[in-house]
Structures are given as structure tokens and as C-alpha cells.
Amino acid sequence: MRRIDFPLGLVTSVGSLPHRSAEEAVRFVLELQPELPAAPSIPVGSPVETMLAQAAWGISGVIVRPDGSLRVDDAALDPTVSLADPELHGPPFDTLRVFLRAVADREGPIKLQLTGPVTLGLALEAEGVPCDRAFPVAAAAVRQRAANLLALAQREAPRAPLVVFVDEPGLVAGLHREVALGPEATIDMMSGALAALEPHAVTGLHCCGPTDWRAVLQAGPQVLSLPVDAGIEQAAGPLATFLDRGGWIAWGAVPTDGPLGPQPSGLWRRLSILWCELVQAGCDPAALRRQAMITPTCGLALHRPAQARRVLGLTREIGERLHDQLLGVRLSVGA
């Protein structure tokens, strides 16, 4: 695994924001998360910036409607046909292009994301495409999109190191036995998407709910992104191995689906309790903290801008607590 050298207590976000203007969304994320700004999308202001619309854009046989929904011509789907719009000039990528122009001279890292093949394949299945065609089409589309995304970022922000997360909410269901794809094929699809990114970016894999984390880790991400309450303690052994190999964890420590208290103390306590459980199960306590970044649990498109600011503010406060704790440990041992 490639060595990852992020700063202590790093914070970032998952992607979607509630703003209606691309320029406002980009200013917002650059202001609040300057160390690792995440390229935003604005699905409320531009429905074609939903993750499925972005993923399906350019697939032969798929039309993305103005409201972000898909119309699929099953007979026209073909995994060997290249995606249209390889330079990402289409409206689903308007905010991405504004973001990349804003960081054109940046030398620090930036975070991008793309919808994963499992999630896209499940969406095509939901539109009536048979499993044996939906998932090959999805896998090929995501690999091509990864290459297109990397090329665009390298053209527009050539000095910015890239961190790219594959976003897989479909994994919450996609590793269940009743899903026709099957766990081994699911892992292979995710591995293929990550492999397309690895030569040019630090790779992450994000899932917003409980899943088979042992299987997810087998896909080979360099950063695992998950909510604090997503059941990772059930895979403490593989997680310990992942950390020993230098893997990082993006802890979704700030909820995006419920009320927030005025102080970060409760959120910090919940994260600390989970770390204690993982240490008892065999994880290295220093690695858990040193190889950690802090995020909200998911995107913020369904919030108001003021709420999104509050969520990212709490994220930063927890990151600062982590930073101070790690700095205190270093000072105490004379590092």
C-alpha cells in the first residue's frame, strides 16, 4: 500500500452541498475545509448533479433527464461502447469544473469522488436491466469515468495531489446474499474501480451504512470511509491488518440525519468509545488515531446552508481535538 502522509486531525467532507450556485458551494468548501477540500455537487440547485445522474451520463442507451432520473434502453446497453463526453463538459459536472478552476494553482491535495459500480449497477437493475448486463455496463462505465476524472483534474489542477473516493451507498444492500451479483463479484467490481484510480491518486471507498466490512476491505482501498455507527467493530481483525499496512480511516463522526447538539463533546465521546472497543479487539491505538481523518457521515444536500456550515464546523472541532490529542502524545514521549 502506498504511504499516505496526511496531517494530523485532517478533516474533509463527502461531497454534496445544499447550495444552488456552484460558485457559492465552492467558496463554502474552500473556506471551511482548506486542508482537503472536497469537490462539491449541488443536486438541489442542479438535479443532474445527483450521484446516479453523474454516473450514468454518457452511457450508451441511457438518457439522463433534466430532473436527474434515468431513461434506459436495455437493448442499447453495451459495456464495450465508450462513454460519451469523456472531457466532462456536460451539465452533471458543472460544479466540478468550477471547483477545479478555483484550485488551479493549488499545491495541496484535493478530494474528488465518483459513484461506484455496485451502486450504478443496482440503479440500472432497478430500471429493468438484467443483472448479467447491468453490472458489466456499470463496471466499464465507472472505470472509464475514473480515467476521465483523473485526466480532467490533472489538466485543470496539475500540481494538486489527488484523493479520490469511490462512493458506494449500494453496498448497504449489495453484499446481501439475496442480491444476484454475489459478494465475490461485488469485490471484483470495487477492486477494478479502485485500480483505475491508484496510479494517480490516493484511493478511498465510502459506504454510508452497515455492510460486510471484511469484504469491503478486501477490495483494497487506501482510505476506508464510514459512519461511526456502521458496525466496523464486527470486522476489527481485518481493520487491524488494514491499519498495520498503512491504511487510513475517514470517520463519519458528525451525523447528517438527525439533530446536533451545541457542543462536539458527545460526538467526540462516541468516537472515543468506538476506538476503545477496537483497541480491545486488537487494533493499534496509535494507528487508529494517527491514520484518521474526520468527516460528516454523508453528504449535506438535504440540509440548509446554515445547517451545513454547522455540520462542517463540528467536523473541524472534532478534528482539532484529535490533532491536539496526537500532538500531546508526541510531546509526552519527546517526539
Side-chain angles (χ1 to χ4, degrees), residues 260-300:
L260 295 170
Q263 301 296 330
S265 303
L267 302 176
W268 173 254
R269 187 179 308 110
R270 184 176 64 163
L271 180 58
S272 298
I273 289 171
L274 175 59
W275 284 342
C276 289
E277 292 177 4
L278 290 170
V279 169
Q280 292 171 1
C283 292
D284 181 339
L288 273 172
R289 293 162 173 79
R290 185 178 60 248
Q291 293 156 223
M293 64 179 74
I294 306 298
T295 74
T297 59
C298 203
L300 295 164

Side-chain angles (χ1 to χ4, degrees), residues 7 29 38 52 55 67 87 118 155 169 202 213 222 235 267 269 284:
V29 76
L52 290 178
D67 65 357
E87 306 223 339
V118 177
R155 286 196 306 271
V202 172
W213 294 111
Q222 295 167 295
L267 302 176
R269 187 179 308 110
D284 181 339

Side-chain angles (χ1 to χ4, degrees), residues 152-165:
L152 176 64
Q154 289 165 343
R155 286 196 306 271
E156 298 293 330
R159 293 190 297 276
L162 301 178
V163 180
V164 185
F165 279 23

Side-chain angles (χ1 to χ4, degrees), residues 235-256:
L239 187 69
T241 302
F242 175 74
L243 290 166
D244 290 343
R245 293 176 55 239
W248 278 60
I249 305 173
W251 297 101
V254 182
T256 56

Side-chain angles (χ1 to χ4, degrees), residues 122 125 131 170-184 186 211-212:
L122 289 170
E125 244 193 339
C131 174
L171 287 177
V172 177
L175 287 171
H176 293 178
R177 292 186 181 274
E178 62 268 21
V179 175
L181 181 63
E184 290 186 6
T186 301
T211 188
D212 183 347

